[in-house]
Amino acid sequence: MALIKHGKLAEDIWHDTDDFADAQALAPMGPIIVDLDTWRRHRDEILALDSPVGLRLQPGQTPDLVASDLHHFDLIALEFAKFTDGRAYSQARLLRERHGFKGELRAVGDVLRDQLTFMLRCGFDSFQVATDSRAAAILEAVDEFAHWYQLALDRSATIPSLRRAAGATEAAGETG
């Protein structure tokens, strides 16, 4: 698996685990990502590890289920089970806009190059991809679009606002 974070290949320090037999066994792993069921069953034990914690949400699991615990997570991984399932886009927007989540949002699963710009605009910071060739294609697409018509979470200037600013600059130059 390759990890792309902030437009560059990155080392993945997180350990994704579904196996929670014993909190002490997880302690030396460092930062861990657990699923929602594991979090619910072993919340206090996981917090006692005093290590960064990430949460993996499946497409049908709304962020509202963990809204009161979001401050415990440094990372939330949102699953794209297949490329035609866009629920993770909505989850990302809810996490950023409604719940104010400031940590890392990671897209995992069926992450494709064609979806990258939309994922970035919804608030994703990192992307876990299955193959090096897919990672290379995604890296090529990172800076593909620089301007947008709609305002989104990335707060990029929109094309209409850029046009208005350019018109105001031209008008100021003509009167000055």
Side-chain angles (χ1 to χ4, degrees):
M1 295 268 179
L3 178 68
I4 299 169
K5 187 173 179 179
H6 302 298
K8 297 180 174 72
L9 281 175
E11 180 183 353
D12 192 357
I13 62 168
W14 292 88
H15 302 279
D16 203 342
T17 181
D18 291 327
D19 184 20
F20 196 92
D22 174 15
Q24 297 308 316
L26 295 179
M29 293 179 80
I32 59 169
I33 301 172
V34 297
D35 62 28
L36 181 60
D37 291 335
T38 300
W39 174 254
R40 286 176 168 166
R41 283 193 312 269
H42 304 284
R43 179 185 184 276
D44 293 335
E45 295 167 86
I46 292 168
L47 291 174
L49 293 173
D50 197 31
S51 180
V53 178
L55 178 70
R56 185 177 60 254
L57 292 177
Q58 298 299 317
Q61 297 171 328
T62 175
D64 295 339
L65 296 171
V66 291
S68 62
D69 281 338
L70 286 176
H71 63 282
H72 293 298
F73 304 119
D74 296 289
L75 174 144
I76 297 181
L78 300 176
E79 179 78 30
F80 283 85
K82 52 186 176 180
F83 79 92
T84 57
D85 187 347
R87 290 179 284 182
Y89 293 108
S90 299
Q91 290 170 316
R93 294 286 303 250
L94 288 170
L95 283 163
R96 294 289 194 212
E97 291 178 337
R98 181 182 294 167
H99 300 296
F101 182 70
K102 302 287 186 219
E104 180 180 338
L105 272 184
R106 180 178 291 188
V108 300
D110 200 8
V111 177
L112 303 176
R113 177 194 191 281
D114 294 349
Q115 299 169 315
L116 177 74
T117 53
F118 302 111
M119 290 178 184
L120 288 168
R121 306 229 51 227
C122 287
F124 285 96
D125 310 290
S126 63
F127 311 90
Q128 189 177 56
V129 294
T131 64
D132 289 342
S133 62
R134 192 174 277 188
I138 288 174
L139 285 169
E140 288 175 10
V142 167
D143 295 321
E144 200 166 70
F145 291 98
H147 304 293
W148 308 92
Y149 280 99
Q150 302 86 10
L151 188 62
L153 288 174
D154 62 7
R155 303 289 181 225
S156 296
T158 63
I159 291 172
S161 68
L162 292 171
R163 286 182 180 155
R164 283 191 296 276
T169 302
E170 288 175 15
E174 292 172 7
T175 61

mmCIF file of all heavy atoms in Angstrom, residues 64-96:
data_model
loop_
_atom_site.group_PDB
_atom_site.id
_atom_site.type_symbol
_atom_site.label_atom_id
_atom_site.label_comp_id
_atom_site.label_asym_id
_atom_site.label_seq_id
_atom_site.Cartn_x
_atom_site.Cartn_y
_atom_site.Cartn_z
ATOM 1 N N ASP A 64 -21.890 11.151 13.102
ATOM 2 C CA ASP A 64 -22.675 11.481 14.291
ATOM 3 C C ASP A 64 -22.545 10.412 15.371
ATOM 4 O O ASP A 64 -22.704 10.703 16.558
ATOM 5 C CB ASP A 64 -24.156 11.648 13.928
ATOM 6 C CG ASP A 64 -24.395 12.841 13.014
ATOM 7 O OD1 ASP A 64 -23.542 13.746 12.985
ATOM 8 O OD2 ASP A 64 -25.430 12.856 12.324
ATOM 9 N N LEU A 65 -22.233 9.180 14.989
ATOM 10 C CA LEU A 65 -22.095 8.077 15.948
ATOM 11 C C LEU A 65 -20.934 8.288 16.918
ATOM 12 O O LEU A 65 -20.928 7.712 18.004
ATOM 13 C CB LEU A 65 -21.898 6.744 15.213
ATOM 14 C CG LEU A 65 -23.066 6.277 14.339
ATOM 15 C CD1 LEU A 65 -22.655 5.066 13.513
ATOM 16 C CD2 LEU A 65 -24.276 5.962 15.201
ATOM 17 N N VAL A 66 -19.950 9.091 16.516
ATOM 18 C CA VAL A 66 -18.773 9.323 17.367
ATOM 19 C C VAL A 66 -18.507 10.810 17.599
ATOM 20 O O VAL A 66 -17.411 11.189 18.000
ATOM 21 C CB VAL A 66 -17.507 8.659 16.769
ATOM 22 C CG1 VAL A 66 -17.604 7.158 16.825
ATOM 23 C CG2 VAL A 66 -17.255 9.143 15.357
ATOM 24 N N ALA A 67 -19.506 11.621 17.370
ATOM 25 C CA ALA A 67 -19.317 13.077 17.464
ATOM 26 C C ALA A 67 -18.738 13.499 18.808
ATOM 27 O O ALA A 67 -17.848 14.357 18.862
ATOM 28 C CB ALA A 67 -20.636 13.798 17.200
ATOM 29 N N SER A 68 -19.191 12.902 19.885
ATOM 30 C CA SER A 68 -18.702 13.310 21.203
ATOM 31 C C SER A 68 -17.287 12.811 21.490
ATOM 32 O O SER A 68 -16.650 13.276 22.439
ATOM 33 C CB SER A 68 -19.651 12.816 22.299
ATOM 34 O OG SER A 68 -19.706 11.404 22.291
ATOM 35 N N ASP A 69 -16.789 11.891 20.671
ATOM 36 C CA ASP A 69 -15.443 11.344 20.878
ATOM 37 C C ASP A 69 -14.415 11.854 19.858
ATOM 38 O O ASP A 69 -13.254 11.456 19.912
ATOM 39 C CB ASP A 69 -15.476 9.811 20.787
ATOM 40 C CG ASP A 69 -15.990 9.161 22.057
ATOM 41 O OD1 ASP A 69 -15.925 9.796 23.122
ATOM 42 O OD2 ASP A 69 -16.459 8.009 21.975
ATOM 43 N N LEU A 70 -14.815 12.710 18.954
ATOM 44 C CA LEU A 70 -13.905 13.127 17.878
ATOM 45 C C LEU A 70 -12.603 13.728 18.396
ATOM 46 O O LEU A 70 -11.558 13.594 17.755
ATOM 47 C CB LEU A 70 -14.599 14.105 16.930
ATOM 48 C CG LEU A 70 -15.631 13.489 15.998
ATOM 49 C CD1 LEU A 70 -16.310 14.570 15.172
ATOM 50 C CD2 LEU A 70 -15.005 12.437 15.106
ATOM 51 N N HIS A 71 -12.632 14.369 19.536
ATOM 52 C CA HIS A 71 -11.414 14.991 20.081
ATOM 53 C C HIS A 71 -10.360 13.946 20.462
ATOM 54 O O HIS A 71 -9.196 14.286 20.654
ATOM 55 C CB HIS A 71 -11.763 15.884 21.271
ATOM 56 C CG HIS A 71 -12.361 15.149 22.422
ATOM 57 N ND1 HIS A 71 -13.678 14.751 22.440
ATOM 58 C CD2 HIS A 71 -11.820 14.734 23.587
ATOM 59 C CE1 HIS A 71 -13.926 14.112 23.576
ATOM 60 N NE2 HIS A 71 -12.811 14.091 24.291
ATOM 61 N N HIS A 72 -10.727 12.684 20.533
ATOM 62 C CA HIS A 72 -9.771 11.621 20.853
ATOM 63 C C HIS A 72 -9.002 11.127 19.625
ATOM 64 O O HIS A 72 -8.001 10.436 19.765
ATOM 65 C CB HIS A 72 -10.480 10.417 21.480
ATOM 66 C CG HIS A 72 -11.059 10.687 22.819
ATOM 67 N ND1 HIS A 72 -10.294 11.048 23.920
ATOM 68 C CD2 HIS A 72 -12.344 10.659 23.246
ATOM 69 C CE1 HIS A 72 -11.083 11.220 24.953
ATOM 70 N NE2 HIS A 72 -12.330 10.985 24.578
ATOM 71 N N PHE A 73 -9.480 11.466 18.436
ATOM 72 C CA PHE A 73 -8.903 10.905 17.208
ATOM 73 C C PHE A 73 -7.977 11.894 16.507
ATOM 74 O O PHE A 73 -8.328 13.045 16.280
ATOM 75 C CB PHE A 73 -10.007 10.468 16.245
ATOM 76 C CG PHE A 73 -10.978 9.492 16.839
ATOM 77 C CD1 PHE A 73 -12.317 9.804 16.946
ATOM 78 C CD2 PHE A 73 -10.541 8.269 17.316
ATOM 79 C CE1 PHE A 73 -13.214 8.917 17.506
ATOM 80 C CE2 PHE A 73 -11.433 7.369 17.885
ATOM 81 C CZ PHE A 73 -12.774 7.690 17.970
ATOM 82 N N ASP A 74 -6.802 11.391 16.144
ATOM 83 C CA ASP A 74 -5.857 12.176 15.347
ATOM 84 C C ASP A 74 -6.087 11.949 13.860
ATOM 85 O O ASP A 74 -5.642 12.739 13.032
ATOM 86 C CB ASP A 74 -4.421 11.779 15.702
ATOM 87 C CG ASP A 74 -4.095 12.110 17.135
ATOM 88 O OD1 ASP A 74 -3.958 13.313 17.438
ATOM 89 O OD2 ASP A 74 -3.998 11.181 17.966
ATOM 90 N N LEU A 75 -6.744 10.843 13.535
ATOM 91 C CA LEU A 75 -6.970 10.454 12.138
ATOM 92 C C LEU A 75 -8.313 9.741 12.053
ATOM 93 O O LEU A 75 -8.675 8.985 12.959
ATOM 94 C CB LEU A 75 -5.861 9.507 11.682
ATOM 95 C CG LEU A 75 -5.990 8.871 10.302
ATOM 96 C CD1 LEU A 75 -4.623 8.754 9.667
ATOM 97 C CD2 LEU A 75 -6.638 7.502 10.375
ATOM 98 N N ILE A 76 -9.033 10.005 10.975
ATOM 99 C CA ILE A 76 -10.223 9.221 10.656
ATOM 100 C C ILE A 76 -10.074 8.743 9.224
ATOM 101 O O ILE A 76 -9.850 9.540 8.309
ATOM 102 C CB ILE A 76 -11.520 10.013 10.849
ATOM 103 C CG1 ILE A 76 -11.674 10.398 12.322
ATOM 104 C CG2 ILE A 76 -12.729 9.189 10.372
ATOM 105 C CD1 ILE A 76 -12.920 11.158 12.658
ATOM 106 N N ALA A 77 -10.147 7.423 9.067
ATOM 107 C CA ALA A 77 -10.059 6.794 7.745
ATOM 108 C C ALA A 77 -11.476 6.493 7.274
ATOM 109 O O ALA A 77 -12.242 5.827 7.977
ATOM 110 C CB ALA A 77 -9.231 5.515 7.821
ATOM 111 N N LEU A 78 -11.812 6.996 6.102
ATOM 112 C CA LEU A 78 -13.140 6.778 5.534
ATOM 113 C C LEU A 78 -13.023 5.817 4.358
ATOM 114 O O LEU A 78 -12.234 6.043 3.441
ATOM 115 C CB LEU A 78 -13.759 8.103 5.095
ATOM 116 C CG LEU A 78 -13.940 9.135 6.215
ATOM 117 C CD1 LEU A 78 -14.467 10.440 5.657
ATOM 118 C CD2 LEU A 78 -14.862 8.601 7.299
ATOM 119 N N GLU A 79 -13.829 4.787 4.397
ATOM 120 C CA GLU A 79 -13.746 3.689 3.444
ATOM 121 C C GLU A 79 -14.542 3.984 2.172
ATOM 122 O O GLU A 79 -15.722 4.308 2.216
ATOM 123 C CB GLU A 79 -14.291 2.416 4.099
ATOM 124 C CG GLU A 79 -14.288 1.209 3.213
ATOM 125 C CD GLU A 79 -12.913 0.573 3.083
ATOM 126 O OE1 GLU A 79 -12.126 0.664 4.039
ATOM 127 O OE2 GLU A 79 -12.647 -0.028 2.029
ATOM 128 N N PHE A 80 -13.853 3.862 1.034
ATOM 129 C CA PHE A 80 -14.499 3.841 -0.274
ATOM 130 C C PHE A 80 -14.558 2.376 -0.686
ATOM 131 O O PHE A 80 -13.602 1.833 -1.236
ATOM 132 C CB PHE A 80 -13.699 4.657 -1.302
ATOM 133 C CG PHE A 80 -13.874 6.138 -1.149
ATOM 134 C CD1 PHE A 80 -13.102 6.845 -0.250
ATOM 135 C CD2 PHE A 80 -14.811 6.821 -1.897
ATOM 136 C CE1 PHE A 80 -13.256 8.215 -0.092
ATOM 137 C CE2 PHE A 80 -14.988 8.195 -1.747
ATOM 138 C CZ PHE A 80 -14.198 8.889 -0.846
ATOM 139 N N ALA A 81 -15.681 1.713 -0.367
ATOM 140 C CA ALA A 81 -15.819 0.280 -0.611
ATOM 141 C C ALA A 81 -15.743 -0.038 -2.106
ATOM 142 O O ALA A 81 -15.182 -1.056 -2.501
ATOM 143 C CB ALA A 81 -17.129 -0.225 -0.028
ATOM 144 N N LYS A 82 -16.298 0.835 -2.923
ATOM 145 C CA LYS A 82 -16.183 0.748 -4.380
ATOM 146 C C LYS A 82 -16.318 2.162 -4.922
ATOM 147 O O LYS A 82 -16.890 3.034 -4.273
ATOM 148 C CB LYS A 82 -17.221 -0.195 -4.970
ATOM 149 C CG LYS A 82 -18.642 0.075 -4.566
ATOM 150 C CD LYS A 82 -19.566 -1.010 -5.084
ATOM 151 C CE LYS A 82 -20.975 -0.763 -4.571
ATOM 152 N NZ LYS A 82 -21.906 -1.756 -5.013
ATOM 153 N N PHE A 83 -15.801 2.378 -6.107
ATOM 154 C CA PHE A 83 -15.722 3.748 -6.594
ATOM 155 C C PHE A 83 -17.096 4.379 -6.838
ATOM 156 O O PHE A 83 -17.225 5.593 -6.868
ATOM 157 C CB PHE A 83 -14.840 3.841 -7.846
ATOM 158 C CG PHE A 83 -15.508 3.405 -9.114
ATOM 159 C CD1 PHE A 83 -16.160 4.307 -9.924
ATOM 160 C CD2 PHE A 83 -15.487 2.066 -9.498
ATOM 161 C CE1 PHE A 83 -16.774 3.910 -11.092
ATOM 162 C CE2 PHE A 83 -16.089 1.660 -10.665
ATOM 163 C CZ PHE A 83 -16.743 2.581 -11.462
ATOM 164 N N THR A 84 -18.134 3.577 -6.977
ATOM 165 C CA THR A 84 -19.468 4.128 -7.203
ATOM 166 C C THR A 84 -20.180 4.518 -5.910
ATOM 167 O O THR A 84 -21.272 5.065 -5.951
ATOM 168 C CB THR A 84 -20.348 3.110 -7.960
ATOM 169 O OG1 THR A 84 -20.399 1.896 -7.206
ATOM 170 C CG2 THR A 84 -19.809 2.846 -9.349
ATOM 171 N N ASP A 85 -19.580 4.240 -4.766
ATOM 172 C CA ASP A 85 -20.183 4.558 -3.476
ATOM 173 C C ASP A 85 -19.566 5.839 -2.943
ATOM 174 O O ASP A 85 -18.422 5.861 -2.502
ATOM 175 C CB ASP A 85 -19.948 3.400 -2.494
ATOM 176 C CG ASP A 85 -20.684 3.583 -1.183
ATOM 177 O OD1 ASP A 85 -21.186 4.705 -0.919
ATOM 178 O OD2 ASP A 85 -20.754 2.621 -0.412
ATOM 179 N N GLY A 86 -20.324 6.924 -2.973
ATOM 180 C CA GLY A 86 -19.791 8.227 -2.588
ATOM 181 C C GLY A 86 -20.113 8.669 -1.178
ATOM 182 O O GLY A 86 -19.949 9.847 -0.849
ATOM 183 N N ARG A 87 -20.553 7.751 -0.327
ATOM 184 C CA ARG A 87 -20.927 8.168 1.027
ATOM 185 C C ARG A 87 -19.759 8.749 1.818
ATOM 186 O O ARG A 87 -19.953 9.597 2.685
ATOM 187 C CB ARG A 87 -21.564 6.995 1.776
ATOM 188 C CG ARG A 87 -22.947 6.637 1.224
ATOM 189 C CD ARG A 87 -23.554 5.474 1.937
ATOM 190 N NE ARG A 87 -22.912 4.244 1.493
ATOM 191 C CZ ARG A 87 -23.260 3.039 1.921
ATOM 192 N NH1 ARG A 87 -24.235 2.898 2.820
ATOM 193 N NH2 ARG A 87 -22.644 1.963 1.470
ATOM 194 N N ALA A 88 -18.544 8.335 1.517
ATOM 195 C CA ALA A 88 -17.393 8.867 2.248
ATOM 196 C C ALA A 88 -17.188 10.361 1.970
ATOM 197 O O ALA A 88 -16.662 11.081 2.815
ATOM 198 C CB ALA A 88 -16.132 8.079 1.900
ATOM 199 N N TYR A 89 -17.620 10.842 0.802
ATOM 200 C CA TYR A 89 -17.564 12.283 0.538
ATOM 201 C C TYR A 89 -18.446 13.027 1.546
ATOM 202 O O TYR A 89 -18.043 14.038 2.118
ATOM 203 C CB TYR A 89 -18.070 12.614 -0.869
ATOM 204 C CG TYR A 89 -17.214 12.115 -1.994
ATOM 205 C CD1 TYR A 89 -17.640 11.054 -2.784
ATOM 206 C CD2 TYR A 89 -16.005 12.722 -2.297
ATOM 207 C CE1 TYR A 89 -16.867 10.604 -3.847
ATOM 208 C CE2 TYR A 89 -15.228 12.279 -3.350
ATOM 209 C CZ TYR A 89 -15.665 11.219 -4.119
ATOM 210 O OH TYR A 89 -14.905 10.776 -5.159
ATOM 211 N N SER A 90 -19.647 12.515 1.742
ATOM 212 C CA SER A 90 -20.570 13.139 2.699
ATOM 213 C C SER A 90 -20.033 13.037 4.121
ATOM 214 O O SER A 90 -20.130 13.997 4.903
ATOM 215 C CB SER A 90 -21.947 12.475 2.621
ATOM 216 O OG SER A 90 -22.496 12.633 1.338
ATOM 217 N N GLN A 91 -19.467 11.884 4.464
ATOM 218 C CA GLN A 91 -18.881 11.728 5.794
ATOM 219 C C GLN A 91 -17.783 12.762 6.017
ATOM 220 O O GLN A 91 -17.689 13.368 7.092
ATOM 221 C CB GLN A 91 -18.304 10.320 5.967
ATOM 222 C CG GLN A 91 -19.336 9.219 6.055
ATOM 223 C CD GLN A 91 -18.682 7.860 5.977
ATOM 224 O OE1 GLN A 91 -17.799 7.619 5.146
ATOM 225 N NE2 GLN A 91 -19.117 6.951 6.842
ATOM 226 N N ALA A 92 -16.930 12.963 5.012
ATOM 227 C CA ALA A 92 -15.829 13.926 5.134
ATOM 228 C C ALA A 92 -16.363 15.338 5.348
ATOM 229 O O ALA A 92 -15.885 16.075 6.223
ATOM 230 C CB ALA A 92 -14.941 13.871 3.889
ATOM 231 N N ARG A 93 -17.354 15.729 4.563
ATOM 232 C CA ARG A 93 -17.932 17.067 4.711
ATOM 233 C C ARG A 93 -18.553 17.244 6.092
ATOM 234 O O ARG A 93 -18.389 18.289 6.726
ATOM 235 C CB ARG A 93 -18.984 17.343 3.633
ATOM 236 C CG ARG A 93 -18.498 17.415 2.202
ATOM 237 C CD ARG A 93 -17.733 18.659 1.853
ATOM 238 N NE ARG A 93 -18.403 19.904 2.061
ATOM 239 C CZ ARG A 93 -18.838 20.714 1.111
ATOM 240 N NH1 ARG A 93 -18.698 20.390 -0.147
ATOM 241 N NH2 ARG A 93 -19.399 21.856 1.416
ATOM 242 N N LEU A 94 -19.273 16.226 6.564
ATOM 243 C CA LEU A 94 -19.873 16.306 7.896
ATOM 244 C C LEU A 94 -18.807 16.437 8.978
ATOM 245 O O LEU A 94 -18.948 17.236 9.910
ATOM 246 C CB LEU A 94 -20.745 15.080 8.161
ATOM 247 C CG LEU A 94 -22.057 15.007 7.386
ATOM 248 C CD1 LEU A 94 -22.696 13.636 7.565
ATOM 249 C CD2 LEU A 94 -23.003 16.115 7.811
ATOM 250 N N LEU A 95 -17.760 15.646 8.864
ATOM 251 C CA LEU A 95 -16.688 15.715 9.857
ATOM 252 C C LEU A 95 -16.061 17.105 9.902
ATOM 253 O O LEU A 95 -15.806 17.646 10.984
ATOM 254 C CB LEU A 95 -15.623 14.657 9.577
ATOM 255 C CG LEU A 95 -16.011 13.243 9.984
ATOM 256 C CD1 LEU A 95 -15.103 12.222 9.320
ATOM 257 C CD2 LEU A 95 -15.951 13.102 11.504
ATOM 258 N N ARG A 96 -15.791 17.677 8.748
ATOM 259 C CA ARG A 96 -15.130 18.982 8.696
ATOM 260 C C ARG A 96 -16.088 20.130 9.034
ATOM 261 O O ARG A 96 -15.756 20.993 9.848
ATOM 262 C CB ARG A 96 -14.520 19.214 7.308
ATOM 263 C CG ARG A 96 -13.393 18.281 6.942
ATOM 264 C CD ARG A 96 -12.148 18.582 7.727
ATOM 265 N NE ARG A 96 -11.011 17.888 7.119
ATOM 266 C CZ ARG A 96 -9.991 17.438 7.797
ATOM 267 N NH1 ARG A 96 -9.928 17.600 9.099
ATOM 268 N NH2 ARG A 96 -9.003 16.819 7.190
#
